[in-house]
Amino acid sequence: MKGRSGVLALVGVVLAGCGAGSGPAADDISPPGYARKPGVPLVKSEADIPELPFARYEFSGEDVERREKARNLLQRQCMRSFGFEDFPLDPDTFVRMADAYESTLTFVSPYGTLDLDRARRWGYGFDPDLAEKQEAAFRPKGRKVTGRERQVLEGPEAGEGGRSVVNGRKIPKGGCSAKAERRLEAAVADPTRMGEDVSRRTAEIDEAVAKDGRVRRAFRDWSRCVEGRGFKRYASPARAFTDKAWRKGLGDGSTHRTERELGTAVADVECNRGLNVTGVWWAVTAEKQRADLRRDRSRYEAVRKDQDRVRAAVREVLGEAG
């Protein structure tokens, strides 16, 4: 097995290459010893990334979709009680669309991208057809909310007129939207803890992971590998992704896809996969998350119990209780 000296020797060969596109292919790069230790998964694609320990204490994508469906049902029921019989199940509230679209364009993985085909074709930009499909999935299916509906949906301060009573009924605090959320969280012991604790700790641990010597070493070797192929030296894959040169003058979140950008993106992926950078990142992150769980298991379990209470409320609203 090669140790650290092995990977540095390999990097030396790469650095001796003669320009962009030179150097060994990803399959010819051997992960260094520290990237092949027990507990470090070999990651070549997104499918190879194991679930992190914190996943048990987070709502899954399916949870989020089901909760949204239940919230929409409760919201529409409330709106109909105020006389808005044709209120859509999935209304267009403008802000929701903007937030969803932005999220599809600005997410940057801490370890970069692993999709070589995508890098070859789109560099650090996005496939416009795929982006449209992703945006369409977030796009509300119902019509736009009227000003009169908005004050009932979001509260008296929203919409037209600012009235607190509509059709003889007092608008609930925060409107029908907030009322629906309160119904789903009625049994939750601590909504703030449930909604913020894990994401806060995840962000703090991510910062610690970025400073960890093992991850810094993996990024340093990745950086040398990319540079050895004739491209700019970056501190991390995320830095390569966010290089302003790719997006200069563009406002849609995509890139110019210049020859240099495409070459950099390919080198990025090949060096990431070859050196098992993502595997190292995952192992360090998992280690720190497990340690945090051991330190404060009771708090995390309290979060989990509250999440289960929300799941039970969602099942009830969707008619699945029991």
Side-chain angles (χ1 to χ4, degrees), residues 118-126 231 234 240-241 243-248 250 253-268:
R118 178 182 178 280
R120 285 173 174 153
R121 184 171 185 185
W122 304 107
Y124 292 105
F126 56 82
F231 301 103
Y234 296 94
F241 183 95
D243 190 329
K244 293 180 179 179
W246 315 141
R247 297 173 173 78
K248 188 174 182 180
L250 295 177
S254 193
T255 62
H256 290 287
R257 295 192 289 277
T258 61
E259 181 179 346
R260 187 157 193 81
E261 177 197 337
L262 296 177
T264 301
V266 169
D268 176 350

Side-chain angles (χ1 to χ4, degrees), residues 48-207:
D48 298 329
I49 304 175
E51 187 174 80
L52 284 165
F54 275 9
R56 173 176 167 76
Y57 306 94
E58 298 171 321
F59 283 119
S60 68
E62 182 182 1
D63 285 330
V64 173
E65 290 180 8
R66 286 171 53 78
R67 181 172 178 171
E68 178 75 357
K69 183 178 179 181
R71 187 189 68 81
N72 281 343
L73 284 169
L74 291 170
Q75 182 175 267
R76 185 174 66 172
Q77 184 181 67
C78 175
M79 293 296 293
R80 285 178 170 177
S81 72
F82 280 88
F84 300 103
E85 293 295 335
D86 67 338
F87 191 78
L89 184 61
D90 188 18
D92 183 349
T93 57
F94 304 102
V95 174
R96 179 182 157 199
M97 269 193 68
D99 288 347
Y101 186 57
E102 182 180 0
S103 70
T104 67
L105 301 182
T106 60
F107 174 74
V108 181
S109 168
Y111 51 81
T113 178
L114 294 166
D115 190 333
L116 189 56
D117 290 338
R118 178 182 178 280
R120 285 173 174 153
R121 184 171 185 185
W122 304 107
Y124 292 105
F126 56 82
D127 177 343
D129 292 334
L130 179 59
E132 171 60 25
K133 290 179 181 178
Q134 291 175 332
E135 194 272 333
F138 285 101
R139 188 181 300 140
K141 305 303 185 290
R143 61 171 172 76
K144 287 182 171 60
V145 174
T146 68
R148 190 159 173 269
E149 290 171 333
R150 189 177 292 277
Q151 67 180 352
V152 178
L153 179 66
E154 300 177 3
E157 66 280 359
E160 301 170 357
R163 295 180 296 166
S164 60
V165 176
V166 172
N167 293 336
R169 299 194 66 212
K170 185 176 181 180
I171 300 174
K173 182 180 180 181
C176 285
S177 178
K179 182 181 179 181
E181 289 291 347
R182 288 194 294 270
R183 165 66 179 80
L184 295 176
E185 295 185 356
V188 172
D190 190 334
T192 300
R193 179 181 61 197
M194 180 188 72
E196 299 179 5
D197 270 26
V198 178
S199 59
R200 174 178 55 80
R201 287 301 297 141
T202 297
E204 292 170 354
I205 287 174
D206 284 347
E207 289 185 5

